[in-house]
Amino acid sequence: MPPEATNGASVPTHPLIISNKPHKTANTFPVYSPATGALQHHFSSASTEDADAALKSAQAAFLPWKNLPPAKKRDIFLKTAEIMDSRREELTNYMVNETGASAPWGAFNLNLASEILRDVAGRISSISGTIPQTATEGVSALVLKEPYGVILAIAPWNAPYILGIRAVIYALAGGNTAILKAPEFSPMCSTGIVTSFHQAGLPEGVLNLLAHRPEDAASITKHLIESPIIKKVNFTGSTAVGKIIAELCGRNLKPVLLELGGKAPAIVWEDADLELAAMECAVGSFLHAGQICMSTERIIVHEKVAADFEAHFKKAAAGFAPEGAEPPVLINSAGVAKNRRLLKDAVEKGAIVLHGNPEAGEGTKMMPVVVKGTKKDMDLYYTESFGPTVSVMTVSTEEEALELANDTEYGLSAAVFTKDLRTGLRMAKGIESGAVHINGMTVHDETALPHGGMKASGFGRFGSIGLEEWVRTKTVTFKD
């Protein structure tokens, strides 16, 4: 019997992709729309045998891909960007249907994904070694940059095209081959990435696609990381899972790049443009229902402008999600329940709801909520909400502002709003974060800049220096 959708119509079962070919599996898992609850499709679920097939394919493809001239790799990446652009409507629909994203968020994802492809295509020729002076007479040396081999890329669902492309493109440009492990919430988005590469002429086995049932996550991930074929791993996702990935990599002496959670602060200083700050903080807090690792979670306002800022911010928040409008969609009802639980605890311990109704919305839907007066004894103070929830706090000194901004295990992104660049730079130096944006929102990622965190937000960098993450150094000496 074919699988049935909620309306009675049959839905397809989609395969894994190994050696550029569809790869069916014994087990599958369902994918539902978080917006409607409707069954979208079933997707193939990898076993350890399927994972081994992908590993074998990637290993066989490594040497030919490593030796392919950079210009040919460049042309494949540029063609991939063209193909993704030509498939925009299809790829947007995958993202909207699988993750509940708005069409504008889908468009932003695809625009940046294409930009990343083109940017990296232009950087391939920048990989270079050196010829250093040696201390030994009659001996010369070369320092070479070489790819690792087969890498494992694990990308999340919340920005599937940006993060999926980012997870593989720097490694591929460095001469590595890759296995992309798709998120169970959005495997067709990952399929769209991989098939676009293949349509552009990426050779067989250079990029393979795996996915699995949620209950198989631990065993399949462990199997892949423990394989001697995998030489390096990158993971973007929660800090809790990142710790597990890091532990597995550590036990197996595998290098790993981690981009994890965040609790991004935005400092609004007494000389700030309050209208600008309010709008940037609203977008930074509520874009994609707050389901971005860089989302603004703490707004730290100087007490002299607190009342004026709150008025501007409530207006900006109301404009972002007007009363009576359909609430934003979260990936699942568990995300809504988590945010409501955090808000309930905060209010019971003295926080005040400044804007929004925590109970507005049903199922996977929730309206933005702003609370004031969050304290250390409240769960919301330290916990990443990963939803449309933000706290407003007031301070009287720069020292207090920096203490609040840094009083978190995370350190991914931050913002400072001030008209005095000296103040902004001084605060930026004092904030423990991988990035600080002066007079801009905390959600900021572009190809020309390094991207990554510190503390529990991970280590390593994507972006402009991302190619260096995926080549290792080899020293060669020779007697003259």
Side-chain angles (χ1 to χ4, degrees):
M1 292 290 291
E4 297 294 319
T6 53
N7 63 1
S10 62
V11 297
T13 297
H14 297 289
L16 309 178
I17 303 174
I18 298 176
S19 297
N20 296 32
K21 300 178 182 67
H23 182 94
K24 295 183 178 179
T25 59
N27 294 313
T28 64
F29 60 93
V31 177
Y32 297 92
S33 164
T36 66
L39 177 64
Q40 298 299 301
H41 56 82
H42 288 260
F43 206 86
S44 296
S45 178
S47 64
T48 55
E49 290 77 17
D50 299 316
D52 286 338
L55 288 164
K56 182 179 179 182
S57 172
Q59 185 178 43
F62 171 59
L63 282 179
W65 177 249
K66 173 187 174 183
N67 294 325
L68 191 71
K72 292 190 176 181
K73 294 185 177 79
R74 176 202 64 202
D75 292 346
I76 291 171
F77 297 160
L78 291 173
K79 184 65 175 177
T80 302
E82 291 178 9
I83 289 170
M84 290 190 71
D85 288 344
S86 72
R87 297 175 63 185
R88 179 175 295 269
E89 182 177 357
E90 172 199 356
L91 299 180
T92 300
N93 286 338
Y94 290 154
M95 187 171 168
V96 170
N97 293 335
E98 289 189 321
T99 72
S102 66
W105 179 241
F108 175 79
N109 256 256
L110 287 166
N111 288 340
L112 186 51
S114 295
E115 186 178 336
I116 292 170
L117 284 163
R118 293 185 172 98
D119 181 79
V120 174
R123 294 180 188 272
I124 290 179
S125 59
S126 69
I127 299 173
S128 59
T130 59
I131 304 176
Q133 294 292 322
T134 64
T136 305
E137 185 176 353
V139 173
S140 296
L142 304 173
V143 178
L144 310 177
K145 297 290 187 178
E146 295 186 340
Y148 283 84
V150 180
I151 71 104
L152 172 62
I154 308 174
W157 54 268
N158 58 322
Y161 295 118
I162 297 171
L163 302 182
I165 286 288
R166 191 184 72 177
V168 299
I169 187 61
Y170 296 102
L172 295 180
N176 304 276
T177 56
I179 296 172
L180 177 61
K181 194 162 82 70
E184 65 267 23
F185 292 121
S186 58
M188 282 307 295
C189 293
S190 301
T191 298
I193 291 172
V194 173
T195 54
S196 293
F197 272 108
H198 293 168
Q199 290 169 15
L202 193 72
E204 182 176 308
V206 172
L207 177 59
N208 298 281
L209 177 69
L210 292 181
H212 51 65
R213 301 176 299 184
E215 59 266 33
D216 294 333
S219 61
I220 296 298
T221 304
K222 183 174 184 288
H223 182 78
L224 287 165
I225 292 175
E226 289 182 343
S227 168
I229 293 174
I230 293 293
K231 296 300 189 291
K232 187 170 181 177
V233 177
N234 74 65
F235 170 78
T236 301
S238 72
T239 295
V241 176
K243 290 179 179 179
I244 297 170
I245 299 291
E247 182 179 356
L248 283 168
C249 289
R251 287 179 179 176
N252 291 276
L253 295 178
K254 304 286 178 75
V256 59
L257 190 166
L258 299 172
E259 201 249 84
L260 308 175
K263 190 76 177 174
I267 298 175
V268 180
W269 211 233
E270 59 183 313
D271 64 342
D273 180 331
L274 298 183
E275 188 173 354
L276 169 69
M279 182 55 66
E280 293 289 313
C281 286
V283 179
S285 300
F286 306 130
L287 182 65
H288 195 35
Q291 299 173 116
I292 304 171
C293 52
M294 297 172 283
S295 292
T296 307
E297 297 236 357
R298 290 179 178 174
I299 304 174
I300 302 163
V301 188
H302 195 287
E303 61 183 8
K304 289 182 180 179
V305 296
D308 287 343
F309 173 78
E310 288 171 13
H312 282 291
F313 189 55
K314 285 192 286 186
K315 182 179 178 180
F320 197 86
E323 187 175 345
E326 189 72 12
V329 177
L330 277 68
I331 191 64
N332 53 33
S333 59
V336 175
K338 174 186 176 181
N339 276 263
R340 287 179 175 158
R341 184 173 64 252
L342 292 172
L343 290 166
K344 183 174 184 291
D345 174 76
V347 170
E348 288 176 349
K349 293 176 180 175
I352 299 169
V353 176
L354 194 64
H355 172 79
N357 177 4
E359 299 304 318
E362 297 180 353
T364 59
K365 300 176 181 180
M366 181 178 177
M367 290 295 279
V369 178
V370 183
V371 295
K372 178 181 177 181
T374 308
K375 304 293 184 184
K376 291 188 178 185
D377 63 337
M378 303 172 185
D379 293 340
L380 183 60
Y381 183 89
Y382 286 115
T383 303
E384 180 187 23
S385 69
F386 211 68
T389 302
V390 67
S391 301
V392 176
M393 309 168 179
T394 58
V395 295
S396 58
T397 68
E398 191 172 316
E399 291 74 21
E400 286 181 276
L402 292 175
E403 181 181 355
L404 271 178
N406 292 331
D407 190 16
T408 170
E409 66 174 325
Y410 299 108
L412 184 59
S413 185
V416 178
F417 294 90
T418 174
K419 293 177 182 176
D420 187 335
L421 185 58
R422 294 171 300 176
T423 300
L425 290 173
R426 189 171 61 249
M427 288 187 174
K429 290 179 180 179
I431 297 174
E432 298 167 347
S433 180
V436 180
H437 307 289
I438 300 173
N439 294 324
M441 64 177 168
T442 58
V443 180
H444 188 122
D445 187 10
E446 58 179 279
T447 59
L449 301 174
H451 181 76
M454 57 179 66
K455 302 195 291 188
S457 290
F459 43 79
R461 292 293 183 268
F462 292 104
S464 62
I465 59 174
L467 286 175
E468 289 296 318
E469 289 279 357
W470 300 101
V471 289
R472 52 189 175 185
T473 302
K474 176 185 283 184
T475 299
V476 177
T477 66
F478 57 96
K479 290 185 177 180
D480 297 333

